[in-house]
Amino acid sequence: MLELVAAFICLTSLLTYVNFRFIGLPPTIGVMVTALMFSLLLQGLSFIGYPGLEERVQELIGQIDFGDLLMNWMLSFLLFAGALHVNFSDVRSYRWPIGLLATVGVLIATTVIGSLAYWIFGLFGWHISFLYCLLFGALISPTDPIAVLGVLRTANASKPLKTTIVGESLFNDGTAVVVFTVLLGIVQLGETPSLSATAMLFAHEAIGGVVFGGLIGYLVYRMIKSIEQYQIEVMLTLALVIGGSAMASELHVSAPIAMVVAGLIIGNLGRNKAMNEMTRRYMDGFWELLDDMLNALLFALIGMELLLLPFSWLHLLAASVLAVAILLSRLLTVAPAIVLLRRWRTVPRGTIRILTWGGLRGGVSVALALALPLGPERDLILSITYIVVLSSILFQGLTIGKLVKHVTKDAPVEAEQAH
């Protein structure tokens, strides 16, 4: 395990350097692109006379339980780090669009995408049950703003847009994981539980995650407030994420939702009432560095996954059709929430377009696909998911900045009124 960690940290660092020095793409997108190029290079070398090289790297990557690594550990760190820098008063100001998109939006997207996937898979001659199509809808529903937030900052996106995208992503990851877990439980049981049992399971995961995150977040906040030693305070937040994730798994509550709530408490109550200036500086520096490292590692792993997955032109064509269907479902979930919001407050021009195009899919979707039971359905859904995620990050991630600049260039004053 130590050799595996060493190999991937060294590789990720090299890919990050190559992107920064020679390519110049946004960091996370650039790392994924360079990893993708590295995968293609290995395939090319094995084709022209180095047959053992690709197999050796495949063996190395195959030792990583990518689903477990991301869902049980990396996602908790990433969501806590993201929530740590979110102003709770901003989230509260935009609670309605964030809440609608992160809850009702995920449920609508799961149903719409699942239904469209069932029809599209049938067109290509793949007989996948409707339940598996709903699982695909659930795993592809969560948006991943990691690759787009830096672009939005450089494009001078308005505060309402950035707050809505960050807030939605922090909570819809957790909601989608809970929906996926419920559906996966139905598949593994082989029978459909009653509506009340499903609702209880959903409530236990989601509400339990909120309550558990609030409890451990407040406990660590009180501990931080009682001392003035930045090394110990930073260490307490690290223990909060690692220990809290492990305990959430044992209690069968949502670790992602718990880490978001705990991160909001430490980032707001802790930052304002329990930390001095030195502690804030070290806390921010530590979690920003950890966030950047994990993001780079995550997107390098996504790029390298190409070596493990079976692809055909039929997969590529089906994924392209599904990518359009997913964008359509994103529009169907975003538009009603924003139209409803316009009844009570001013909304920046172009918000629907930006939120629709900015709904990138990422590592969470790949990890959930890897968590599916072994079988032909898993192989198909995993390949389709990977292509959709790849195209989403490359096409939407590299063009969202231009769209923001185009949409907001004529309305800077209007954008600020929404706050």
Side-chain angles (χ1 to χ4, degrees):
M1 180 56 71
L2 185 59
E3 291 175 357
L4 200 61
V5 171
F8 273 95
I9 288 179
C10 290
L11 178 62
T12 302
S13 301
L14 180 62
L15 295 175
T16 307
Y17 172 80
V18 169
N19 174 61
F20 185 83
R21 180 73 174 81
F22 301 107
I23 301 175
L25 290 173
T28 48
I29 299 177
V31 168
M32 193 192 71
V33 169
T34 50
L36 191 62
M37 291 165 60
F38 182 71
S39 299
L40 294 171
L41 176 64
L42 286 176
Q43 289 181 335
L45 288 173
S46 65
F47 182 73
I48 63 172
Y50 297 90
L53 187 59
E54 184 184 355
E55 285 76 6
R56 179 71 186 100
V57 177
Q58 282 181 336
E59 182 185 341
L60 192 66
I61 299 171
Q63 293 177 41
I64 301 175
D65 188 340
F66 187 65
D68 180 66
L69 177 66
L70 178 60
M71 296 311 304
N72 292 335
W73 300 107
M74 289 178 70
L75 186 59
S76 294
F77 279 93
L78 291 169
L79 290 177
F80 180 84
L84 203 61
H85 298 97
V86 172
N87 189 316
F88 186 71
S89 62
D90 289 343
V91 173
R92 191 169 53 193
S93 298
Y94 304 105
R95 61 187 177 276
W96 287 112
I98 290 171
L100 285 171
L101 290 171
T103 53
V104 178
V106 170
L107 295 173
I108 292 173
T110 298
T111 306
V112 172
I113 295 171
S115 302
L116 289 171
Y118 184 73
W119 179 67
I120 291 167
F121 286 152
L123 285 180
F124 285 87
W126 296 316
H127 302 291
I128 305 295
S129 71
F130 186 67
L131 193 53
Y132 265 96
C133 291
L134 284 178
L135 275 168
F136 174 72
L139 68 86
I140 209 71
S141 293
T143 55
D144 188 351
I146 294 165
V148 78
L149 284 177
V151 181
L152 289 178
R153 289 191 201 100
T154 58
N156 294 320
S158 64
K159 193 172 187 178
L161 278 175
K162 285 190 284 191
T163 302
T164 302
I165 288 177
V166 175
E168 178 204 358
S169 68
L170 287 173
F171 287 99
N172 76 5
D173 279 354
T175 306
V177 170
V178 172
V179 173
F180 179 87
T181 303
V182 170
L183 290 171
L184 187 61
I186 294 172
V187 168
Q188 292 170 336
L189 280 173
E191 59 183 27
T192 305
S194 65
L195 186 61
S196 60
T198 304
M200 282 298 294
L201 179 58
F202 186 89
H204 183 269
E205 285 269 348
I207 299 173
V210 172
V211 173
F212 178 66
L215 285 173
I216 59 174
Y218 186 75
L219 175 63
V220 171
Y221 153 68
R222 296 296 302 180
M223 293 172 72
I224 289 174
K225 192 175 182 180
S226 67
I227 58 173
E228 290 288 342
Q229 178 60 263
Y230 70 86
Q231 294 99 327
I232 299 175
E233 293 173 67
V234 172
M235 195 183 302
L236 283 171
T237 61
L238 185 61
L240 165 64
V241 177
I242 296 175
S245 298
M247 287 176 66
S249 179
E250 291 295 321
L251 295 171
H252 302 291
V253 299
S254 173
I257 292 178
M259 289 307 107
V260 169
V261 174
L264 287 172
I265 291 172
I266 300 298
N268 288 270
L269 269 180
R271 183 187 300 277
N272 297 328
K273 297 184 177 181
M275 300 179 191
N276 57 34
E277 188 58 39
M278 179 177 287
T279 301
R280 289 192 201 101
R281 190 167 67 247
Y282 275 94
M283 188 80 70
D284 289 345
F286 174 80
W287 281 103
E288 283 172 13
L289 177 62
L290 202 57
D291 191 35
D292 288 343
M293 287 174 62
L294 288 175
N295 279 324
L297 185 60
L298 169 61
F299 280 86
L301 283 169
I302 291 175
M304 295 294 289
E305 279 288 315
L306 178 68
L307 291 172
L308 296 180
L309 299 177
F311 287 111
S312 70
W313 288 107
L314 207 57
H315 286 119
L316 194 60
L317 185 58
S320 301
V321 177
L322 274 166
V324 175
I326 290 164
L327 273 176
L328 176 63
S329 76
R330 175 71 176 167
L331 178 62
L332 290 174
T333 55
V334 165
I338 300 304
V339 169
L340 188 65
L341 184 65
R342 282 190 173 131
R343 291 177 174 269
W344 292 283
R345 64 191 310 166
T346 304
V347 175
R349 185 171 64 85
T351 295
I352 292 175
R353 276 177 286 169
I354 294 169
L355 285 177
T356 299
W357 195 249
L360 275 71
R361 271 61 188 178
V364 176
S365 297
V366 176
L368 288 175
L370 285 162
L372 290 169
L374 293 175
E377 293 94 346
R378 178 186 185 271
D379 293 341
L380 174 63
I381 289 175
L382 184 55
S383 296
I384 297 292
T385 300
Y386 184 82
I387 298 170
V388 169
V389 168
L390 200 63
S391 61
S392 169
I393 292 172
L394 290 178
F395 295 118
Q396 292 170 242
L398 292 176
T399 55
I400 183 65
K402 293 178 181 177
L403 177 63
V404 171
K405 287 179 179 177
H406 173 72
V407 168
T408 60
K409 65 180 178 182
D410 298 323
V413 178
E414 184 185 359
E416 290 304 315
Q417 286 175 352
H419 181 57

